[in-house]
Amino acid sequence: MVRTSSRGRRSRPFTVFLSIAAVFVVIGLVGGGLGIWTVQRSFPQLSGELSVPGLDAEVTVSRDEAGIPMIEADSAHDLFQAQGFVHAQDRFWEMDFRRHVTSGRLSELFGESQVGTDTFVRTLGWRVVAEEEVKLLDEQTLGWYQAYADGVNAYLDSRSGADLSLEYAVLGLQNPGYEPEKWTPADSVAWLKAMAWDLRSNLEDEIDRALLATELSPEQVAQVFPPYPYADNPTIVPADVGTPAPASVGSATPLAPLGEDTVGSLLELKDVLKNMPVLLGRAGPDIGSNSWVVSGQHTASGKPLLANDPHLGPSLPSVWYQMGLRCSTVSPECPFAVAGFSFSGMPGIIIGHNERIAWGFTNLGPDVADLYLEKVTEDRVELDGVVQPLVIRDEVVKVAGGDDVPIRIRSTSRGPIVTGISDEFGSIAATYPAAAGHPEGRYELSLQWTALVPGRTPGAIFAVNRATDWASFRQGATLFDVPSQNLVYADVDGNIGYQAPGLIPNRLSGDGTVPQPGWSSTVGWAGYVPFDALPSMFNPPSGYIVTANNAIAPNGATPLITKDWDSGYRAERIDELIAESIAAGGGLTADDMSDIQADNANAFAERMAPYLTALAPSGNARLGKQLLEGWDFADDAGSAQSAYFNVFWRNLLENSFAPKLPDATPPAGGSQWFQVVGDLLEQPDSGWWASPDENVVTRDDAITLALSEAWTETERLMGDNPDDWTWGELHTLTLRNGSFGESGIAPIEMLFNRGPYELAGGSSIVNAVGWYAPDGYAVDWVPSMRQVVDLADLDSSTWINLTGASGHAYHANYVDQAPLWQAHETRAWPFTPDAVRKAARDTLTLVP
């Protein structure tokens, strides 16, 4: 039987301290007529006329029945000022909360419980880097960011407190003196650092490899982190398409065996990382995306189709905000006619289409963050035998209801020292063992990460939004430094393409998979891979391109990007479904693309099936085997077989593998463990299958035990009648507000959270509704939105968001899209002026 794990990824609640009396006040606020007034007073005006100082002319905001706004203005200045105003109407609490996250100022909202988190964010310096990036903006781009900020501030000038959002009414019970500050361009740019953090690739893998090495042999560590299966699963750029010549890569500089204190240092840092993502959407092994594009040679219309569904931690409201931005007359002075998914708090459209091109993102997953063990003595660090001063920055964390907390941030030439940063996370000094041949002394960890280098990404958004062809799209991609994404492209002329952008480090030595000794200048980075050396593809012979976090190109064909790719099961399945549609004839349609997004095929279940068939078990294991006979291997929400198989899978991981791993590195499931176990299926006598008590010796013993215990567990969870079992009953999603929805106070969470929703899909499945095996079967990662862009008729494109347009609890558009998303339904996406007018339910005119 699977035991309850204390090693899981779920972070502690976002702690909010309210008195019992305050909780009753909250309950009273939402009861009766006063409650209706309290929750609705923040709902924005959506029709009629509103004055917005700073506009040069009138702006029209049309909203459809889902509350999705389409903005039309005469100038780019007015367009982005209106976008800031509209974002603030629907999502200002989310924006305000995010900027406190990214600037390390959550303690100003919620008190001393957030001092540790603030200290870590300030140590990384997100806000400091964002302010430097603002200084790098050209005059035009800075003007658009400032126009956006002016729009936000115009809305703030018209409302305050609970008139802005219900969250401020709750916050006022704990922190009655709080008032939001004016919005600035740096508030917008800093959110890019949060997204880069969510998509930071293999930093946790780097820590886990070092921890695993304390208990496993190098061969066993290699089995837990297998290389990409190039022979079985596809690469984005196939072998028959040319790729840039690879850059040379130094050999790894191995670390000596880790001492006990060094292990403690890594464990503490891992705990810090684990507790951060709850604020931004939970990070983990299923962070990723699907995006693919099919050229007109394979579509019914003769024009390309482009699909995209980014996989992130779920949040309420959704991290995405759908909208359109249109200049009344598109011209060089006002070049925007674009629609898609934006981030509240940022101008422009992140993913979507304009009048000529469409684009999608998946996480490239490059290794852009490295850890170094540093020899530290007080405020000095050693490099090549020479002691150098650390860079010191002193800051003060202001605490609501408490005393200010001074902090000291220390950095090497590579990046900040990320150990020993707060009492909450513990003192994390590491002593590298003298027995390993290195001098005794104090050792700490520093972090080098591309997102801590001021870059050009804030301007990339506008460049892509106004691109009109492949050349101008690629020019925009050159600015896309961090986070690095797979960019998929299509245009109305019938072209399709792929581009990998971003800052990818050239390493002097090592491959980024383990922490390196920082006291030598022979390790570290030597600049970045040139943009023209990064993989790119235009109109490939196949007529389609699939990206699903799989390896970019055949092994060794490109500069080193990472060793830690997704194993490619989703990419293989998407490729298979597209090939089947092409073979069937008739051409793919937008509906076909949506059907692929909804595919629930579990490749690992199919891989496991022959080994289950070969068994002749008894008892509960026999019942389990019989239940799985005839299953189509689909993780459908209503499937009893899917429910049982996934319980079996979790039991197999916990029984056979978890006991052999350090507590901090449990088998998480997902593509990594599909590949690990899949490889071991061909080794029936491997020691991985054996139990310490020798009751289990072989692969078949381990599978039989897991079948038996899974039957017992499934009966306990859903009753003793398999006809009543469904995967959806176990695999549920609760949409949680990122602040008060994680408070740990049930009455407050009830105000803001919604669900549970029973879902199909699973980890490493095209319908990537992921779950973290050590914790159970609840949903941890989701397709955060879905889009299909039809380049033959942009008004025939479709889109759906995880939640809704509004961030106001109890608003009709708070979670109205969630049931459609759950059922894999989608919404019409009007784009042309005529289609927007026909779909409009509310029209608001903003006047100077």
Side-chain angles (χ1 to χ4, degrees):
M1 182 66 64
V2 171
R3 56 190 178 278
T4 301
S5 174
S6 61
R7 312 178 300 176
R9 185 172 296 273
R10 290 190 187 277
S11 303
R12 59 187 172 213
F14 187 87
T15 309
V16 176
F17 294 105
L18 292 180
S19 67
I20 297 299
V23 172
F24 280 109
V25 169
V26 171
I27 296 172
L29 283 176
V30 295
L34 179 62
I36 295 173
W37 176 78
T38 300
V39 299
Q40 292 186 352
R41 61 189 286 194
S42 65
F43 292 3
Q45 179 179 334
L46 303 182
S47 59
E49 188 175 283
L50 277 175
S51 175
V52 178
L55 291 176
D56 295 324
E58 291 186 357
V59 176
T60 302
V61 183
S62 303
R63 293 178 184 255
D64 64 11
E65 63 179 358
I68 299 169
M70 298 289 175
I71 302 173
E72 185 170 325
D74 291 342
S75 68
H77 169 275
D78 285 1
L79 191 65
F80 293 119
Q81 183 169 353
Q83 185 183 21
F85 187 89
V86 170
H87 272 167
Q89 280 188 307
D90 285 337
R91 298 282 190 95
F92 184 72
W93 167 261
E94 178 189 34
M95 295 163 60
D96 197 18
F97 175 67
R98 282 177 175 177
R99 68 169 164 179
H100 280 81
V101 172
T102 58
S103 59
R105 296 174 57 192
L106 284 171
S107 301
E108 296 179 24
L109 292 177
F110 303 112
E112 64 180 357
S113 67
Q114 300 307 307
V115 170
T117 296
D118 286 346
T119 302
F120 188 68
V121 171
R122 288 177 183 234
T123 297
L124 296 182
W126 292 356
R127 177 70 185 203
V128 173
V129 179
E131 290 174 350
E132 290 299 315
E133 290 186 342
V134 170
K135 295 177 184 178
L136 296 175
L137 296 175
D138 62 78
E139 182 178 356
Q140 182 182 64
T141 303
L142 178 59
W144 290 338
Y145 272 96
Q146 187 59 57
Y148 179 91
D150 292 343
V152 176
N153 293 328
Y155 191 70
L156 292 182
D157 287 341
S158 68
R159 296 186 179 224
S160 63
D163 289 333
L164 281 169
S165 195
L166 176 62
E167 287 90 342
Y168 290 104
V170 179
L171 181 67
L173 301 174
Q174 172 185 330
N175 187 1
Y178 175 76
E179 292 184 6
E181 298 174 352
K182 295 290 187 182
W183 195 264
T184 70
D187 292 328
S188 296
V189 173
W191 180 242
L192 292 171
K193 303 305 166 188
M195 290 308 299
W197 180 255
D198 256 7
L199 304 173
R200 61 190 176 274
S201 65
N202 78 332
L203 183 57
E204 282 86 352
D205 289 338
E206 188 171 332
I207 295 171
D208 285 351
R209 279 190 177 91
L211 294 173
L212 286 170
T214 65
E215 298 188 20
L216 302 180
S217 69
E219 293 75 19
Q220 289 173 316
V221 173
Q223 286 178 306
V224 173
F225 285 94
Y228 186 80
Y230 290 97
D232 299 319
N233 290 342
T235 56
I236 296 171
V237 179
D240 60 353
V241 176
T243 55
S248 61
V249 179
S251 60
T253 302
L255 284 173
L258 300 180
E260 182 177 346
D261 289 337
T262 303
V263 172
S265 174
L266 291 167
L267 289 170
E268 292 285 356
L269 179 57
K270 185 177 175 71
D271 188 61
V272 172
L273 300 179
K274 182 181 71 175
N275 284 290
M276 280 293 296
V278 72
L279 308 175
L280 311 172
R282 183 172 293 115
D286 284 308
I287 289 286
S289 303
N290 301 323
S291 189
W292 66 94
V293 60
V294 181
S295 75
Q297 71 185 89
H298 299 311
T299 67
S301 68
K303 293 289 186 179
L305 291 166
L306 185 149
N308 193 193
D309 54 290
H311 310 151
L312 299 170
S315 59
L316 179 59
S318 167
V319 68
W320 301 107
Y321 183 92
Q322 297 153 284
M323 70 188 319
L325 303 170
R326 177 177 290 275
C327 295
S328 304
T329 300
V330 178
S331 66
E333 293 73 31
C334 192
F336 299 100
V338 60
F341 294 85
S342 68
F343 291 142
S344 59
M346 285 202 67
I349 299 298
I350 307 300
I351 296 175
H353 70 82
N354 61 29
E355 290 181 314
R356 290 195 49 80
I357 74 166
W359 64 95
F361 288 177
T362 64
N363 192 23
L364 178 61
D367 187 350
V368 295
D370 283 348
L371 290 170
Y372 302 90
L373 274 171
E374 306 281 4
K375 293 181 181 179
V376 176
T377 303
E378 296 181 347
D379 287 336
R380 294 173 296 171
V381 64
E382 182 179 325
L383 181 65
D384 294 334
V386 179
V387 176
Q388 303 176 347
L390 291 167
V391 177
I392 305 296
R393 189 172 79 248
D394 291 312
E395 297 190 11
V396 175
V397 177
K398 296 185 179 298
V399 181
D403 297 331
D404 293 351
V405 177
I407 61 173
R408 171 158 286 196
I409 298 163
R410 303 166 301 146
S411 300
T412 72
S413 58
R414 295 188 180 98
I417 300 288
V418 292
T419 46
I421 58 175
S422 73
D423 291 338
E424 178 181 0
F425 295 133
S427 176
I428 318 175
T431 303
Y432 206 69
H438 300 294
E440 292 184 358
R442 182 179 175 84
Y443 289 77
E444 301 198 48
L445 288 167
S446 67
L447 171 67
Q448 189 171 21
W449 178 33
T450 55
L452 302 185
V453 178
R456 305 165 297 168
T457 304
I461 299 163
F462 300 115
V464 170
N465 282 191
R466 58 187 174 181
T468 58
D469 56 20
W470 176 240
S472 54
F473 177 78
R474 286 195 77 222
Q475 183 59 39
T478 65
L479 305 176
F480 212 109
D481 292 332
V482 177
S484 298
Q485 300 289 289
N486 293 304
L487 305 184
V488 174
Y489 167 93
D491 64 36
V492 295
D493 295 326
N495 300 301
I496 64 173
Y498 164 81
Q499 178 65 55
L503 296 181
I504 314 295
N506 282 316
R507 291 177 172 83
L508 292 170
S509 63
D511 57 11
T513 58
V514 294
Q516 292 291 293
W519 51 86
S520 171
S521 61
T522 62
V523 303
W525 299 353
Y528 303 100
V529 177
F531 180 81
D532 287 338
L534 293 171
S536 183
M537 183 166 49
F538 187 62
N539 290 333
S542 66
Y544 64 93
I545 301 167
V546 175
T547 75
N549 315 114
N550 50 316
I552 291 183
N555 192 24
T558 67
L560 176 66
I561 293 175
T562 185
K563 293 284 189 178
D564 291 311
W565 303 107
D566 179 272
S567 297
Y569 297 101
R570 285 181 287 114
E572 170 65 18
R573 178 60 175 171
I574 294 168
D575 192 280
E576 176 187 352
L577 292 171
I578 293 173
E580 288 177 356
S581 295
I582 292 172
L588 279 84
T589 66
D591 287 343
D592 294 328
M593 302 285 271
S594 292
D595 288 344
I596 294 174
Q597 289 177 325
D599 185 77
N600 291 322
N602 186 327
F604 185 71
E606 187 171 4
R607 174 85 169 85
M608 177 67 75
Y611 298 91
L612 299 177
T613 300
L615 296 176
S618 59
N620 285 345
R622 179 179 60 83
L623 296 175
K625 178 190 174 185
Q626 289 175 344
L627 178 65
L628 293 175
E629 291 173 356
W631 180 35
D632 62 359
F633 311 118
D635 277 342
D636 297 333
S639 171
Q641 293 97 329
S642 172
Y644 173 69
F645 180 84
N646 283 298
V647 176
F648 156 78
W649 168 236
R650 181 170 179 252
N651 275 268
L652 184 65
L653 291 176
E654 286 292 318
N655 291 341
S656 297
F657 299 94
K660 301 176 180 68
L661 304 176
D663 283 348
T665 59
S671 73
Q672 175 191 358
W673 283 93
F674 284 2
Q675 188 179 351
V676 170
V677 178
D679 291 344
L680 289 170
L681 286 174
E682 299 176 5
Q683 304 174 45
D685 298 317
S686 168
W688 282 106
W689 301 112
S691 63
D693 59 11
E694 299 184 353
N695 289 328
V696 173
V697 178
T698 68
R699 174 200 64 205
D700 290 352
D701 295 340
I703 292 174
T704 300
L705 177 64
L707 285 170
S708 178
E709 294 197 345
W711 190 271
T712 302
E713 182 182 351
T714 311
E715 284 187 323
R716 176 175 58 81
L717 293 171
M718 291 186 288
D720 59 7
N721 184 357
D723 291 340
D724 296 332
W725 298 352
T726 66
W727 175 224
E729 184 175 344
L730 300 179
H731 194 49
T732 62
L733 168 66
T734 297
L735 293 168
R736 301 182 188 278
N737 178 286
S739 52
F740 289 109
E742 300 279 356
S743 67
I745 302 172
I748 293 177
E749 292 186 353
M750 289 173 61
L751 293 179
F752 299 106
N753 296 346
R754 299 294 183 268
Y757 298 87
E758 296 188 357
L759 298 180
S763 296
S764 209
I765 289 170
V766 177
N767 182 21
V769 183
W771 52 287
Y772 182 65
D775 283 351
Y777 311 100
V779 173
D780 286 296
W781 303 280
V782 296
S784 55
M785 62 79 159
R786 301 184 185 103
Q787 71 167 18
V788 175
V789 182
D790 186 343
L791 277 300
D793 177 9
L794 292 170
D795 288 330
S796 295
S797 303
T798 61
W799 58 355
I800 196 71
N801 207 346
L802 174 64
T803 61
S806 179
H808 298 285
Y810 299 99
H811 192 280
N813 300 129
Y814 187 49
V815 290
D816 58 315
Q817 295 189 57
L820 300 175
W821 175 93
Q822 175 190 25
H824 269 280
E825 297 178 17
T826 190
R827 292 186 53 81
W829 184 350
F831 175 69
T832 62
D834 284 346
V836 169
R837 280 190 289 270
K838 290 177 182 177
R841 183 189 64 183
D842 297 294
T843 301
L844 176 66
T845 302
L846 306 180
V847 300

